[in-house]
Amino acid sequence: MSAAVRRSFDSLSVPNYRRYFVGQLISLSGNWAQIVAAVWLVLSLTGSGLAVGFTTALQFLPMLLFGAWGGLLADRFPKRNLLIATQLLMALPAIGLLVVSAAGIVTPWMVYVAAFARGTVNAVDNPTRQSFVIEMVGPDRLVNAVSLNSVLIQTARILGPALAGVTIATVGVVPCFAVNIASFGVMALALWGMDQADLAPAPPGAREPGAIRAGLRYVRDTPQLAVPLALMALVGTFGFNFQVVLPLLATFSFEGGAGVYAALVSAMGVGSVAGALITGARGRTGPRLITAAALAFGATALLAAAMPSIAFEIPVLALLGAAAVSFAASVNSTLQLAVEPAMRGRVMALYSVVFLGSTPIGGPLSGWLAEAYDPRVALLLAASAGLAAACAGHAWLGSAAPRRVSQNSAAKIASPRMLRKSL
């Protein structure tokens, strides 16, 4: 048991990654506190599920529009320096929300503008963070580090909403924005304090016309990248819309308030942490694990749609969180181990686009289904996406795709050319 625990936390033995982990945990917790506050603010101002979906869509629309350029910047500039800049820039929308909320003049359009502004910076920040991990820990620890990233994201999803739920219920939304502002400063300091000599930066991408199109062609011609991205696009668009579904489920299906919403989000977060730790301890990835995680996601989303009460919904959402993070982490690791280093930023930008940038499509759709019919219908949509991805993954398993990728053999398959030779 102790050996399994050590394997789960192996990447934390790397000092730079340890600094990054702590900084990200604080920063993302603050970010989730702001997300919960902003969503609850819009819902209280409008009473509309569609407005909640629109707010979420605006937050992720820039990823869809500008994510490819964000990946190109990640390939061309030192990622640590780029991340310091994005952390400082993302504090600006939070400052704006703090001011207008404290002054009592906040309106829905102000929240919309802040969500879009933060999303624009995140279009650079997210692919840079995704592709920075391997520079801190190396290919041998990549699967573990990606899983630990999921742990910190999901832990933040517990801490942030829990903090926001208590804060909103007692003193209102304003302190949530102040917490987020401070958290960005913590992350910037963590990045600044890294030992640059221990980083292994990828060679900068060539500055030439058509670099983004070259990245798209590269993915198109590499099945080990194209298929996982397609599966992530399907599940990301129609399944990963919990920022929209959960507040509506809490409000309309279970007739609860901020506390019920925080409980649902926290339940998913607890399950996600467990799923990420298990994935990290196993230290491998590949088509079989992606397919199994998609099947588990579809099945548990179907169960979540059928649960009659909070008491039954909470444990099922924990299972759903575990399946969701296992699927996303498996796709993420598979992509990073199969990509050429000089293309990593652009490929991970595509991952961010299909994972986060698809929300402007799926978010409003889920919000409309929840408002026009029932939030459970949006969960049925998520279940359908997961089961369809599992079917597609099963077909992929029948092809020449590699069955498993271990972190111990990661260095041997650093490029798609090497990977294809091993088939």
Side-chain angles (χ1 to χ4, degrees):
M1 180 64 179
S2 59
V5 171
R6 285 196 300 271
R7 289 197 302 270
S8 295
F9 295 97
D10 183 40
S11 295
L12 291 177
S13 63
V14 179
N16 278 339
Y17 183 76
R18 194 160 56 242
R19 293 187 185 94
Y20 174 87
F21 187 94
V22 173
Q24 276 288 90
L25 179 60
I26 295 171
S27 179
L28 290 175
S29 296
N31 183 54
W32 270 104
Q34 175 169 316
I35 288 173
V36 171
V39 167
W40 197 257
L41 186 59
V42 168
L43 187 59
S44 62
L45 289 171
T46 66
S48 169
L50 188 59
V52 171
F54 184 61
T55 305
T56 305
L58 283 174
Q59 182 174 334
F60 296 110
L61 179 62
M63 184 65 71
L64 182 63
L65 298 177
F66 314 126
W69 282 269
L72 183 60
L73 290 175
D75 279 337
R76 287 184 174 176
F77 295 97
K79 295 177 180 62
R80 170 181 166 273
N81 297 344
L82 202 55
L83 286 172
I84 292 173
T86 58
Q87 292 298 303
L88 297 177
L89 288 172
M90 279 197 288
L92 298 180
I95 292 172
L97 284 176
L98 174 66
V99 171
V100 296
S101 298
I105 59 174
V106 64
T107 59
W109 73 264
M110 295 177 183
V111 183
Y112 299 155
V113 170
F116 186 83
R118 182 196 172 279
T120 300
V121 181
N122 194 46
V124 178
D125 180 83
N126 194 277
T128 306
R129 279 191 290 112
Q130 298 285 350
S131 54
F132 185 50
V133 173
I134 197 170
E135 297 187 5
M136 290 184 284
V137 303
D140 289 348
R141 289 189 172 99
L142 177 64
V143 175
N144 178 259
V146 169
S147 298
L148 282 178
N149 278 358
S150 299
V151 169
L152 72 87
I153 289 170
Q154 302 309 326
T155 302
R157 290 183 66 157
I158 298 170
L159 298 177
L163 173 63
V166 173
T167 303
I168 293 170
T170 54
V171 294
V173 299
V174 175
C176 295
F177 304 130
V179 167
N180 195 31
I181 294 167
S183 73
F184 287 127
V186 172
M187 184 60 198
L189 289 174
L191 291 163
W192 185 264
M194 285 185 176
D195 186 347
Q196 297 187 66
D198 288 340
L199 297 175
R207 295 175 177 269
E208 57 187 9
I212 293 176
R213 291 192 300 273
L216 293 173
R217 286 194 301 270
Y218 172 69
V219 170
R220 182 197 63 192
D221 296 337
T222 310
Q224 291 82 9
L225 301 174
V227 177
L229 278 170
L231 298 181
M232 189 72 249
L234 175 61
V235 177
T237 301
F238 301 109
F240 283 17
N241 297 302
F242 300 113
Q243 292 183 57
V244 177
V245 176
L246 293 186
L248 301 177
L249 195 68
T251 303
F252 299 124
S253 297
F254 297 121
E255 299 180 349
V260 173
Y261 173 37
L264 295 180
V265 175
S266 298
M268 281 203 72
V270 169
S272 299
V273 169
L277 288 174
I278 292 170
T279 302
R282 295 174 72 177
R284 64 181 190 267
T285 186
R288 188 177 298 279
L289 291 175
I290 292 173
T291 301
L295 178 61
F297 177 83
T300 49
L302 197 61
L303 280 176
M307 291 299 101
S309 67
I310 285 287
F312 289 100
E313 189 73 76
I314 284 177
V316 173
L317 285 179
L319 294 175
L320 182 58
V325 77
S326 297
F327 176 77
S330 296
V331 172
N332 187 309
S333 301
T334 298
L335 293 174
Q336 294 214 49
L337 291 173
V339 68
E340 296 281 1
M343 286 283 188
R344 185 169 286 116
R346 276 163 283 184
V347 169
M348 297 316 295
L350 291 176
Y351 171 83
S352 299
V353 167
V354 298
F355 183 30
L356 301 175
S358 58
T359 304
I361 301 170
L365 176 60
S366 294
W368 175 76
L369 287 172
E371 186 173 358
Y373 300 99
D374 189 276
R376 301 178 192 277
V377 177
L379 287 173
L380 289 176
L381 179 65
S384 300
L387 295 175
C391 292
H394 181 71
W396 185 28
L397 281 170
S399 70
R403 298 305 175 106
R404 185 175 70 179
V405 177
S406 71
Q407 66 182 28
N408 293 330
S409 63
K412 298 178 182 178
I413 55 169
S415 72
R417 179 179 301 171
M418 293 179 183
L419 193 149
R420 286 193 293 271
K421 286 181 179 178
S422 68
L423 299 179

